[in-house]
Amino acid sequence: KAGVTQTPRYLIKTRGQQVTLSCSPISGHRSVSWYQQTPGQGLQFLFEYFSETQRNKGNFPGRFSGRQFSNSRSEMNVSTLELGDSALYLCASSLDSGVNTEAFFGQGTRLTVV
Amino acid sequence: DQQVKQNSPSLSVQEGRISILNCDYTNSMFDYFLWYKKYPAEGPTFLISISSIKDKNEDGRFTVFLNKSAKHLSLHIVPSQPGDSAVYFCAGLGTYKYIFGTGTRLKVLA
């Protein structure tokens, strides 16, 4: 069974640009969550999607957005990139994060903004 | 508002001994908790979970204990192995989201 796949693995962008990250969940998983990891901050929740609907959103500015497609694949977009957006972006999939179940993470996309 | 706290940023343990990683939470609504292990440049790997209706869950060398009255959980690794050296995150399941602590870096010394 294939795991969670995130593309690309590494990305370098300049300030002001926008970026789109992709996540393919485990087959059969309908919930996809996105997290930002920066040193000393742990994993900060960005948003969660289930059946193409955003069910929860973290405390990030509107420059961060996402969507989920009918096949459960998800994308997140960051517009007008800032240096502080440099981080590891992690995607996690689960059967349904609304019930007691574990989430499985991809390897992440390392975004560097210069 | 840090709802899940891991107050020890790092821990060193001798190989073969017990590693105890601690986690405190403030949200009484959590009813499911998880532990993840993370190596550099990789995504977190699920280790073990526990439901709030239990006070202990065991899986091989890993045991998680939950003390609901103290809002405290701990992960015990026995015996510790050098390959266990990683950052460990605890998490509580909130409303459609997992809320993570800031992690504890475990170093198992050979």
Side-chain angles (χ1 to χ4, degrees):
Chain A
K1 193 172 185 180
V4 179
T5 304
Q6 290 187 247
T7 56
R9 289 290 313 278
Y10 302 93
L11 207 48
I12 300 176
K13 291 284 189 178
T14 57
R15 279 182 297 176
Q17 285 188 311
Q18 75 161 12
V19 66
T20 299
L21 312 181
S22 179
C23 173
S24 293
I26 292 171
S27 178
H29 285 189
R30 296 168 65 188
S31 172
V32 174
S33 304
W34 288 89
Y35 292 83
Q36 180 196 65
Q37 186 189 16
T38 52
Q41 293 297 313
L43 283 73
Q44 301 292 310
F45 173 75
L46 281 156
F47 24 67
E48 188 265 3
Y49 288 88
F50 182 85
S51 293
E52 302 179 68
T53 299
Q54 185 184 90
R55 296 193 298 187
N56 204 342
K57 189 176 190 303
N59 295 325
F60 279 83
R63 300 184 297 106
F64 291 80
S65 63
R67 59 178 175 169
Q68 186 181 35
F69 302 95
S70 58
N71 62 358
S72 293
R73 190 177 71 86
S74 176
E75 289 181 347
M76 69 164 278
N77 185 78
V78 188
S79 62
T80 319
L81 283 166
E82 300 177 359
L83 295 179
D85 297 333
S86 296
L88 179 66
Y89 289 88
L90 292 159
C91 162
S93 81
S94 63
L95 288 169
D96 181 356
S97 65
V99 298
N100 293 349
T101 184
E102 57 267 25
F104 296 90
F105 284 84
Q107 290 188 295
T109 294
R110 170 71 63 185
L111 172 65
T112 302
V113 182
V114 297
Chain B
D1 175 28
Q2 192 68 29
Q3 298 183 53
V4 178
K5 298 179 184 179
Q6 293 178 258
N7 293 318
S8 298
S10 64
L11 175 69
S12 292
V13 171
Q14 284 295 133
E15 181 181 5
R17 305 295 290 269
I18 183 171
S19 294
I20 300 176
L21 295 98
N22 294 303
C23 180
D24 297 298
Y25 63 95
T26 58
N27 190 335
S28 301
M29 300 301 291
F30 288 153
D31 59 6
Y32 192 68
F33 301 88
L34 312 93
W35 283 93
Y36 286 83
K37 176 171 73 172
K38 187 179 185 300
Y39 295 117
E42 294 184 12
T45 303
F46 169 73
L47 270 178
I48 192 168
S49 61
I50 187 166
S51 167
S52 61
I53 62 173
K54 295 185 176 182
D55 54 18
K56 176 183 174 181
N57 188 26
E58 196 170 352
D59 184 1
R61 297 186 298 114
F62 302 91
T63 303
V64 56
F65 295 92
L66 175 62
N67 182 332
K68 284 191 70 177
S69 60
K71 293 191 177 71
H72 177 83
L73 63 156
S74 61
L75 174 69
H76 292 209
I77 306 173
V78 184
S80 301
Q81 300 173 353
D84 295 330
S85 296
V87 178
Y88 289 78
F89 293 96
C90 65
L93 179 57
T95 305
Y96 307 130
K97 65 180 180 181
Y98 302 85
I99 300 172
F100 287 83
T102 51
T104 296
R105 182 176 303 278
L106 173 66
K107 188 172 183 179
V108 179
L109 307 169

